Amino acid sequence: MKMFNRRSFLKGGLAGGAAIAAVGTSKQAEAAGSFGGYPDSMGVLVDLTKCVGCRTCEAACNKEQGLPAPDKSFDDPSVFEEKREGGLPRRTTEKAYTVVQKYDVPGREHPLFRKVQCNHCNEPACLTSCFVNAYKKTPEGAVMYDPTVCVGCRTCMVACPFYIPAYSYSSAINPVVKKCIMCYDTRLKFGKPPACVEACPQEVMTFGKRKDLLKLAHQRISEKPDAYVDHVYGETEVGGTAWMYLSDVPFDKIGYDTHLGDQPIISYVKEFLAVVPMVLTIWPALFTGFHLLSNRKDALKNEENKS
Amino acid sequence: MGGRKKTLLGMAALMLLTAPLVAPAWAEDGPGTVEIGSLANHYSAVTFDHAMHTGVASSCAECHHHTTGLAPTDPTCARCHEAGAKAGSVACKDCHSDKRFSAEDLAKIGEKPQLYHKGKPGLKGAYHRKCLGCHTTMGGPTGCQDCHTRNDKGDAFFNAGKYAPAPSTSAGHGGGH
Ligand code: SF4
Ligand code: SF4
Ligand code: SF4
């Protein structure tokens, strides 16, 4: 599977769509069962009440992942005022796998800061929506992405309930989706916590087995019921996530989607997945479509950069 | 914002002025200044004026959770340590590990997660939470470099100082994706 590049996929798709489809479905089936996550997988508990918005985590991620230099220094608080269209706060990009957002909450003495990155879902929508299996959930808990398999269709970007995967426009020939990998290859697989977790001066984030973190989270709430809302975000949302959150402000007031439900997104797309083999038989036409689409997007992007 | 901050600063200054008058006897037991440098990496060591802070705090326990010979007052610690041995040390580093994220520490915590030392901050977290927490409510300094100056390595890490990106590279206002 690793040896599979885009070109050979395309060839295979043209020559024997059925064979590929079989591989695809068995893999999907593995993820589609009532999986519920690896029992000893790791996670991170983020205590939003302790974050001071210093952005050290962003700087740490930038260095650990070898990302390009930022547009502004990592100690520049003016980034918090940057708004996307519709007044939405800043979000992850292909150059920043994690960003800190600021929320002015009425009645709260200080702004609330919220670190955003991939939540490493137990049953990731990016994974289940990807019909070339570019994504993988490791037993340690990280959701990994393989650019050599990716065809650049960007379905994962649409599927992710947290709007995490970002698309790299730096190369139009070799499309790459970029997102937080929980520092898998440099840290997690050696049992070490992610770089952002370790760098945080406030130790906002606790690293450990997901099941232990859940106990810790509920204990914190019961010990200080006035300091937290009684909910651990990510415990059950979309089937559970490896990164979970504690807050003193109701989650829907600080940009968290509280209407995602407890079912993994896979349940909704299962039906769609059954259609995938058929999709593969019309692959050439489909690819042409994606290609046109990506060219159009790139053209738009170029125009945007010029203006 | 400016007004409130000024008032708080004024209060802090007032407390400092009156502090010597109300400083309890134990204040003399503590060190004058402490050089906090075991974690220094991107910043210089902190020269902590312990004597001044003993004057501001109403008791040692406000920062240390307990004084030597007494059980910890922090409810999280007290859950297990209350009935046990009295605290033999008040040094932050004796409870809060300066290697919180090392393989050894993580393995040790992982062995007995039911003790929930998993939730105990390491030395870096303990310092920052205590200092910043109090400085925020008391109107003390809260900027990173108010307590420790960033060094060259830190400037590089934060892409700041001489490593700052050229202003013109910032495209628009970050919108329009
Ligand atoms: S480093 Fe920690 S305190 Fe600073 S912004 Fe990130 S999570 Fe918040
Ligand atoms: S947060 Fe999004 S990108 Fe990350 S694992 Fe979940 S679905 Fe995938
Ligand atoms: S886990 Fe690693 S890749 Fe993800 S945001 Fe933190 S530092 Fe970046």
Side-chain angles (χ1 to χ4, degrees):
Chain A
M1 204 63 195
K2 274 270 170 292
M3 303 301 293
F4 226 69
N5 62 26
R6 231 154 49 83
R7 187 168 293 272
S8 68
F9 179 92
L10 197 53
K11 260 203 216 145
L14 291 169
I20 307 286
V23 174
T25 42
S26 69
K27 264 271 195 161
Q28 300 292 358
E30 185 187 296
S34 51
F35 173 55
Y38 291 100
D40 272 346
S41 69
M42 307 302 281
V44 175
L45 179 66
V46 186
D47 190 334
L48 299 177
T49 68
K50 298 194 159 61
C51 179
V52 293
C54 67
R55 299 179 64 219
T56 307
C57 49
E58 288 188 36
C61 178
N62 176 275
K63 302 297 169 297
E64 181 78 17
Q65 297 299 329
L67 298 174
D71 292 341
K72 290 179 184 169
S73 296
F74 283 110
D75 63 354
D76 186 344
S78 72
V79 294
F80 294 130
E81 312 314 324
E82 287 172 3
K83 293 279 178 268
R84 291 181 290 127
E85 268 163 86
L88 293 165
R90 58 199 296 255
R91 67 185 248 192
T92 52
T93 70
E94 77 272 19
K95 282 168 75 181
Y97 298 172
T98 184
V99 294
V100 180
Q101 300 174 340
K102 179 181 149 196
Y103 289 86
D104 289 305
V105 183
R108 197 180 192 264
E109 205 169 329
H110 305 282
L112 181 136
F113 294 98
R114 169 189 169 196
K115 179 185 181 293
V116 178
Q117 75 300 304
C118 171
N119 283 326
H120 299 276
C121 307
N122 288 348
E123 297 181 65
C126 55
L127 183 155
T128 51
S129 69
C130 175
F131 56 86
V132 294
N133 288 316
Y135 286 89
K136 178 176 98 187
K137 172 92 175 166
T138 77
E140 297 89 344
V143 175
M144 301 296 288
Y145 157 86
D146 182 354
T148 62
V149 190
C150 173
V151 293
C153 74
R154 302 177 218 188
T155 307
C156 54
M157 293 174 65
V158 181
C160 172
F162 305 109
Y163 305 97
I164 293 302
Y167 192 80
S168 175
Y169 292 96
S170 23
S171 166
I173 311 142
N174 190 21
V176 198
V177 168
K178 299 261 194 173
K179 73 163 196 75
C180 156
I181 55 166
M182 209 166 162
C183 293
Y184 179 75
D185 38 13
T186 53
R187 291 166 155 267
L188 188 68
K189 78 171 173 200
F190 305 110
K192 284 165 67 182
C196 53
V197 171
E198 186 162 348
C200 172
Q202 289 278 99
E203 291 184 20
V204 163
M205 295 157 276
T206 311
F207 170 73
K209 281 192 187 139
R210 186 179 184 273
K211 59 180 183 203
D212 294 340
L213 294 176
L214 266 174
K215 286 188 206 152
L216 174 66
H218 285 290
Q219 185 170 34
R220 266 193 210 168
I221 294 173
S222 64
E223 267 175 4
K224 294 185 179 155
D226 297 337
Y228 298 102
V229 293
D230 190 10
H231 185 67
V232 182
Y233 192 94
E235 174 170 13
T236 56
E237 276 78 8
V238 291
T241 56
W243 285 62
M244 298 173 290
Y245 305 84
L246 286 175
S247 170
D248 58 321
V249 177
F251 285 99
D252 56 346
K253 302 272 189 296
I254 47 172
Y256 286 86
D257 191 339
T258 50
H259 300 286
L260 290 173
D262 296 346
Q263 290 304 306
I265 304 260
I266 177 131
S267 312
Y268 315 132
V269 290
K270 248 183 208 155
E271 246 111 278
F272 163 76
L273 287 175
V275 184
V276 167
M278 185 205 69
V279 169
L280 285 174
T281 58
I282 54 159
W283 177 247
L286 206 64
F287 185 75
T288 315
F290 290 140
H291 188 68
L292 290 175
L293 184 77
S294 76
N295 276 354
R296 197 177 142 264
K297 273 233 176 167
D298 289 339
L300 282 175
K301 181 79 186 167
N302 284 340
E303 231 161 73
E304 196 177 279
N305 287 343
K306 264 183 252 153
S307 64
Chain B
M1 148 139 199
R4 196 182 68 86
K5 207 160 190 176
K6 263 202 199 116
T7 322
L8 282 169
L9 277 174
M11 271 164 59
L14 198 74
M15 291 187 76
L16 290 188
L17 285 173
T18 53
L21 298 174
V22 295
W26 46 256
E28 282 143 38
D29 301 342
T33 56
V34 185
E35 189 88 345
I36 304 173
S38 67
L39 301 165
N41 182 22
H42 294 136
Y43 295 88
S44 63
V46 174
T47 308
F48 178 69
D49 190 342
H50 190 270
M52 184 276 274
H53 286 87
T54 51
V56 179
S58 57
S59 83
C60 303
E62 215 162 290
C63 298
H64 288 286
H65 312 304
H66 58 77
T67 27
T68 323
L70 295 177
T73 53
D74 188 302
T76 319
C77 313
R79 188 156 22 96
C80 297
H81 292 282
E82 197 175 28
K86 304 295 180 217
S89 165
V90 289
C92 308
K93 66 171 178 356
D94 288 344
C95 285
H96 297 282
S97 168
D98 60 352
K99 296 186 196 69
R100 177 66 179 80
F101 297 104
S102 69
E104 306 88 70
D105 275 33
L106 287 169
K108 211 170 90 187
I109 296 165
E111 262 170 39
K112 285 189 181 163
Q114 70 275 19
L115 286 180
Y116 300 117
H117 274 163
K118 201 174 255 335
K120 183 175 72 174
L123 192 58
K124 179 170 66 174
Y127 281 145
H128 284 101
R129 288 188 201 173
K130 266 290 169 205
C131 300
L132 272 175
C134 203
H135 281 202
T136 308
T137 40
M138 300 275 289
T142 53
C144 306
Q145 300 208 62
D146 293 341
C147 290
H148 40 34
T149 42
R150 199 167 55 211
N151 56 29
D152 189 64
K153 194 177 167 194
D155 280 353
F157 180 76
F158 281 92
N159 292 76
K162 72 175 184 210
Y163 305 95
S168 55
T169 59
S170 174
H173 292 88
H177 282 288

